[in-house]
Amino acid sequence: MTVRKNQAALTADEKRRFVAAVVELKRSGRYDTFVTTHNAFIVGDTDDGERTGHRSPSFLPWHRRFLLDFERALQEVDSSVALPYWDWSTDRSIRSSLWAPDFLGGTGRSRDGRVMDGPFAASASNWSINVRVDGRTFLRRSLGTAVRELPTRAEVESVLAMPTYDTAPWNSASDGFRNHLEGWRGVNLHNRVHVWVGGHMATGMSPNDPVFWLHHAYVDKLWAQWQRLHPGSGYVPVAGTPNVVDLNDTMKPWNDVRPADLLDHTAHYTFDAA
Amino acid sequence: MPELSRRRALTAAAALATMAGVQPAVAPTVSATEHGRHTPASFDEVYKGRRIQGRPVSGGAHQHHGGGYAVSVDGVELHVMRNADGSWISVVSHYDPVPTPRAAARAAVDELQGAALLPFPAN
């Protein structure tokens, strides 16, 4: 059974194996298919139209399944690897071990945002940015520049306390847990972390930065925490909602999985701690 | 897995075709509320040495996901989207809403740091 651990608790060997598996997916071309899929949904999901991956109730189950696909791909390279999560409410500094050269590498240089150290630096020559909207082929970051602070634990708690999963109009204007966690409304959790990292993470092609997976693994963990806090609250809407994935509707691009199939993460993985 | 890949490719292709201004087989529908919303005026300026332009577009080959507005940087289309509250984002600044399409175009110029936007799909 896969156990997803806090990135801060990984051993040197676990970090090495995770990085090696990610780099191998990149080398084989498989990694970039994840970037392409994510961007296709980012530009396709709209508040007034069909919306599946973002700005909609299925933001959470869609990313849960997307991460499962990626984790399974990693495990085909190295069966010992699981996705770590980044608790950005605790590891809030650019001096976190997350950004050390033996793991993800640090922020970009000021001139052009280019990441200069770690296994995903352009100089390491195994991390070319291929799915992109401009000519720059090197990974970019600007940690803590566009927004100064990552969300605090108190802000996370305030969102976890919301008892309703989601509300009409089921988009970026909604009240409820999902949209506050996604960040289009309120204290802003998930969106703000993308902006804080900057560079590719601020774009529709955000999976170009491997921290994408650690960020979303923590967003996914917060969904699990919310479920434990509100056992009487379920995924909504449940039926008949135009352009929105109801509880028992199948989700694109898989077309064979429903939010109802993804509510219980323990069928696929557990976490190292509650 | 090949089937899954094919579906993904088709989904991506449809999105890319839309960005390139090529109409996919099934046009995205535009809701009544979208028609009723105020559309920002056109703009055309040089910002940090780059020409940014924006204009309302409607119907036919230029019906955008973003609700009928096109933005370009040095003549290359930048995919933009309007949020329900009237704020805007673009594909290079997707998690950080700004008040107007001109602000989204300026944010894109800031993000690009001089790099040329590639016509989609160019990579």
Side-chain angles (χ1 to χ4, degrees), chain A residues 37-39 42 45 47-48 55 69 111-112 130 132-134 136 140 191 194 202-204 206 254-255, chain B residues 4 7-8 12 15 37 65 79 81 83-84 89 91-95 111-113 115-118 120 123:
Chain A
T37 296
H38 187 267
N39 191 51
I42 274 271
D45 296 324
D47 279 337
D48 288 330
R55 59 181 68 238
D69 279 6
R111 175 156 62 86
D112 58 4
N130 305 312
R132 60 185 195 267
V133 295
D134 60 69
R136 295 170 293 177
R140 290 177 291 111
N191 281 355
H194 278 276
T203 75
S206 46
W254 308 281
N255 298 318
Chain B
L4 187 61
R7 287 195 193 111
R8 280 183 180 168
R37 289 196 309 211
H65 283 119
H79 187 271
M81 184 182 293
N83 293 321
I89 53 177
V91 71
V92 298
S93 186
H94 200 88
Y95 304 92
E111 207 285 329
L112 287 165
Q113 294 185 288
L117 204 56
L118 297 178
F120 237 81
N123 47 69

Side-chain angles (χ1 to χ4, degrees), chain A residues 192-224:
Chain A
R192 195 195 331 174
V193 176
H194 278 276
V195 175
W196 186 90
V197 175
H200 290 100
M201 266 290 273
T203 75
M205 292 131 286
S206 46
N208 272 314
D209 190 331
V211 80
F212 173 91
W213 309 103
L214 285 76
H215 171 36
H216 271 279
Y218 185 59
V219 170
D220 182 80
K221 184 171 187 285
L222 291 177
W223 184 22

